[in-house]
Amino acid sequence: MDSIKLKNIRVYAFHGCLVEESKIGSDYIVNLEVKADLSHASKSDSLHDTVDYVQLQTIVKDEMATRSKLLEHVARRIMTSVLQKIERVSEVKVSVAKVNPPIGGDVAEVSVSMKMKR
């Protein structure tokens, strides 16, 4: 199975359990990988025959704009949306990282990674 990856999508969003996080927001980095059969697209050279990475980016941005308490919830929404909107995708992997999380220590980021199959 072939794959398309979007690496280090930067988004500013308002996820988290703390009230401050809902008001101040934070930087996030999302990595997305989808599995699909890309053999036809490799021959046809047509956008219609592949997974449009612009659409993938839009899904990530839209789901990141909806507030959640947990990164796991955001990741699941992204995966579900990809599978619902892009029939060609058979599997999706996503990691969502909060940069400089407010956890009382010197931590560059905290992230969750999840995978979902059709």
Side-chain angles (χ1 to χ4, degrees):
M1 191 60 52
D2 309 307
S3 66
I4 293 176
K5 297 177 184 180
L6 278 72
K7 190 172 181 177
N8 296 333
I9 304 167
R10 296 186 177 277
V11 181
Y12 196 85
F14 298 87
H15 307 298
C17 294
L18 302 176
V19 174
E20 295 83 13
E21 292 174 298
S22 69
K23 295 178 182 175
I24 298 169
S26 186
D27 290 310
Y28 292 83
I29 297 173
V30 178
N31 286 288
L32 183 68
E33 179 178 0
V34 298
K35 303 277 186 181
D37 180 0
L38 304 176
S39 61
H40 190 63
S42 72
K43 296 172 190 166
S44 72
D45 196 27
S46 172
L47 181 60
H48 178 74
D49 293 328
T50 192
V51 177
D52 184 354
Y53 51 80
V54 173
Q55 185 179 10
L56 292 172
Q57 163 77 359
T58 299
I59 290 169
V60 169
K61 285 174 54 178
D62 290 348
E63 294 302 334
M64 289 297 291
T66 302
R67 179 166 156 56
S68 290
K69 293 178 185 174
L70 301 178
L71 297 180
E72 295 88 339
H73 191 254
V74 178
R76 182 172 188 83
R77 281 201 332 264
I78 291 169
M79 292 184 300
T80 300
S81 185
V82 168
L83 291 175
Q84 285 177 346
K85 294 177 180 177
I86 308 174
E87 188 175 311
R88 188 176 312 274
V89 172
S90 61
E91 181 179 320
V92 58
K93 293 185 212 177
V94 66
S95 70
V96 180
K98 182 183 288 192
V99 180
N100 298 315
I103 60 175
D106 186 11
V107 178
E109 68 179 33
V110 62
S111 67
V112 297
S113 297
M114 299 175 74
K115 177 169 63 170
M116 185 181 285
K117 293 182 180 183
R118 189 172 295 286

